[in-house]
Amino acid sequence: MKSYLYTLSIIAAATLAMIFPEPFTVIAGFELKNLIVPLLMIIMFGMGTTMGLKDFEGVVKNPRSVFIGILCQFSIMPIVGYTLGTSFDFPPEVAAGVILVGSSPSGLASNVMAYIAKANVALSLTITAVATLLAPLLTPALMKWLAGTMVEVDFLKMMVDILKMIILPIGLGLLVNYILRKQAEWLNRYMPLVSMIGIALIICIITAAGRESLLTIGVALVVCTLTHNLLGYALGYGMAKLMRLPEQDCRTVSLEVGLQNGGLASGLALQMGKVATVGLAPALFGPIMNITGSILASFWGKKPTEVPEAAAAEMT
């Protein structure tokens, strides 16, 4: 139940924010939405402390799988996001939020789910690391291309925002990990908990800020977000299979495509000044992807990754 406890706690917190939005909007005159970027930076710093050069070894050892994973990551989800966002009768800024989720890189959740699913964890870490490094260029470019008519997208500003919110704290985390090494073990022990609390707070703040919009389009946006997430898994897995990747790698690509960095999307929505509209889809995507990801990973975790010899002989 531990893998579901975090997800259930996020759902409970988001529900509380819907019922009692005031404590998650302003406290003593301070707007809590201003905490989103600092919280995201703390989460990304924690990610950096758990990373090292070994996370990029997969580029050399398994370049084909890494390339396919990155290609799927930045093609399937943005295009599906655009298709769904424009198919539903959403206000332009809400539709842009769906595209923003799709244009973001994968996050920490994909690495955890890859472990549970008995997928290729090393490949998952490499794809996440490379996708994160490419995000400052690809995420603004995709948003400008797909959502430029729905909301104003400043390419350079968004690129700088991603560098500030993602690359800088991850770089500091890598530096701390390199300098302190064994002395930084306590960070590896406690940063996941800090990250989980940070993500829950971000979701609560955005839910409270966008409460009125959610009450109007909530059900439709949930359906849209769930569909986006599930299609990411299915199309990512299908594309990997089509490219004849091993089963472990197929599972990895599926999870990397379906599980997005909703925290980054939320931070960008705030920097755009539209957290109550563009930020709605990222806020919903977090709890939804944790539920579906946990279920899919647990299902795969019980299934063998190798084709039995007898079945393999029949296939050939």
Side-chain angles (χ1 to χ4, degrees), residues 99-232:
I99 298 171
L100 180 58
V101 171
S103 302
S104 298
S106 51
L108 286 169
S110 62
N111 308 145
V112 177
M113 300 304 177
Y115 175 77
I116 297 171
K118 294 181 180 177
N120 189 334
V121 179
L123 176 63
S124 176
L125 289 167
T126 301
I127 292 175
T128 299
V130 174
T132 301
L133 291 180
L134 292 174
L137 286 175
L138 293 184
T139 298
L142 288 165
M143 279 297 291
K144 188 75 174 178
W145 175 41
L146 297 172
T149 59
M150 303 175 188
V151 65
E152 184 180 353
V153 179
D154 188 329
F155 178 90
L156 288 177
K157 183 179 182 302
M158 186 174 287
M159 182 176 70
V160 171
D161 287 337
I162 296 174
L163 288 169
K164 179 179 68 175
M165 291 188 291
I166 300 292
I167 305 301
L168 178 61
I170 285 180
L172 289 174
L174 282 166
L175 186 62
V176 168
N177 188 28
Y178 177 77
I179 294 174
L180 298 182
R181 297 187 183 176
K182 289 185 178 180
Q183 289 85 349
E185 286 182 2
W186 64 273
L187 281 173
N188 296 333
R189 185 180 303 118
Y190 294 110
M191 282 310 296
L193 177 61
V194 173
S195 297
M196 285 189 273
I197 294 172
I199 292 169
L201 278 173
I202 289 173
I203 290 172
C204 286
I205 292 168
I206 296 173
T207 300
R211 181 176 181 272
E212 297 306 316
S213 296
L214 281 172
L215 290 174
T216 305
I217 59 169
V219 175
L221 189 57
V222 167
V223 172
C224 176
T225 304
L226 177 61
T227 304
H228 194 185
N229 175 228
L230 296 179
L231 284 175

Side-chain angles (χ1 to χ4, degrees), residues 235-310:
L235 294 176
Y237 185 86
M239 183 61 70
K241 272 292 184 186
L242 189 65
M243 302 302 291
R244 299 183 180 278
L245 294 185
E247 174 63 19
Q248 269 195 316
D249 290 6
C250 290
R251 295 181 184 184
T252 304
V253 171
S254 173
L255 293 169
E256 286 295 320
V257 173
L259 299 168
Q260 302 292 86
N261 191 336
L264 171 61
S266 299
L268 291 174
L270 175 66
Q271 296 300 83
M272 294 168 70
K274 302 183 183 298
V275 70
T277 51
V278 177
L280 291 180
L284 286 174
F285 202 92
I288 287 173
M289 78 173 188
N290 275 285
I291 295 171
T292 59
S294 299
I295 294 171
L296 179 60
S298 298
F299 172 77
W300 268 336
K302 298 172 185 176
K303 301 289 182 181
T305 56
E306 299 295 331
V307 180
E309 293 183 8

Side-chain angles (χ1 to χ4, degrees), residues 4-20 24 200 203-204 207 287 291:
Y4 297 103
L5 185 61
Y6 168 57
T7 302
L8 292 173
S9 65
I10 286 182
I11 294 172
T15 303
L16 188 65
M18 279 290 291
I19 300 172
F20 304 105
F24 299 101
I203 290 172
C204 286
T207 300
I291 295 171

